[in-house]
Amino acid sequence: GEDSRSFHVSIQGTPRSTASAGEIPIITAVPGGQILLECPEGAEPQPSVEWHREGSLLQEDARRQVLAQGRFLQLLAVAAADGGEYSCRATSAPGDSGPRVRVQVHG
């Protein structure tokens, strides 16, 4: 048999002045499952969006795919190595990364 689970996560923006490490959403995944992370819409027209994991630019591969001009990040066949803090940032926006989410893999 095959077991697949899909998680839809919408990351809501939080004003930087009130954001703290304790407020980062945590998503729990199971090995072999998949996760879909959503970057909130910014100003129109939609700028190009980059995804980062643990502060480094995320490179797409067979398991990590950026969809809809960066609006979504899909992780397939999740493994323990995929755990960590993810963030999205509009490439036209200077400064720090945008909304963040922490992914934990248990199983």
Side-chain angles (χ1 to χ4, degrees):
E2 187 175 313
D3 180 26
S4 101
R5 298 181 187 186
S6 177
F7 299 88
H8 180 89
V9 182
S10 179
I11 309 170
Q12 300 298 322
T14 304
R16 286 191 178 86
S17 60
T18 60
S20 70
E23 294 177 10
I24 298 174
I26 296 177
I27 305 308
T28 301
V30 294
Q34 65 176 350
I35 300 175
L36 185 65
L37 303 178
E38 180 180 0
C39 193
E41 289 188 66
E44 296 297 334
Q46 182 70 23
S48 178
V49 174
E50 291 179 341
W51 282 89
H52 296 256
R53 180 181 168 275
E54 296 295 334
S56 297
L57 182 63
L58 189 71
Q59 299 297 324
E60 288 186 78
D61 58 28
R63 296 189 314 106
R64 298 181 292 193
Q65 300 171 351
V66 176
L67 309 173
Q69 291 80 47
R71 176 92 189 271
F72 299 98
L73 173 64
Q74 185 175 43
L75 303 177
L76 303 172
V78 173
D82 293 316
E85 188 174 291
Y86 289 79
S87 62
C88 59
R89 179 176 70 87
T91 56
S92 60
D96 296 334
S97 64
R100 296 172 294 170
V101 64
R102 180 167 294 281
V103 172
Q104 294 181 342
V105 181
H106 297 291

